Amino acid sequence: MKLQKAKRVMWGLFGAMGVSMILAGLLGSMPLALLSAILLLAFIRYSFSHWRCPHCGEYLGRVGKGIQLCPYCHERLDK
């Protein structure tokens, strides 16, 4: 399913950003801080382009784990 893949990619970007932020803080590394910013921008861009309802195409925003219906078209998201 497209949404599950998008969720995995977004969590991967978010995790990589978190690790690079921690390392940048611990090591005082400006390149790692820059990498963190780039990963944040990649996360935001990917989210807006791929975290969409497969039925109506609307951006899903902050849909929680328990949400199974699109807040716009009310179609099931797990189909």
Side-chain angles (χ1 to χ4, degrees):
M1 173 183 222
K2 290 167 76 173
L3 284 179
Q4 289 177 348
K5 180 182 177 187
K7 187 183 255 185
R8 284 193 307 268
V9 170
M10 289 190 308
W11 274 112
L13 286 170
F14 190 74
M17 180 188 65
V19 168
S20 65
M21 285 176 65
I22 291 170
L23 288 174
L26 290 174
L27 302 174
S29 172
M30 186 55 76
L32 283 175
L34 182 60
L35 176 62
S36 299
I38 291 169
L39 287 170
L40 174 63
L41 293 175
F43 173 82
I44 292 169
R45 180 172 168 86
Y46 189 87
S47 170
F48 278 111
S49 64
H50 288 84
W51 191 242
R52 297 187 169 273
C53 174
H55 305 286
C56 67
E58 289 290 328
Y59 177 65
L60 293 174
R62 293 180 57 185
V63 175
K65 184 177 181 180
I67 302 295
Q68 296 177 356
L69 300 176
C70 172
Y72 300 101
C73 69
H74 306 290
E75 292 286 331
R76 291 189 60 86
L77 294 175
D78 58 357
K79 286 186 178 180

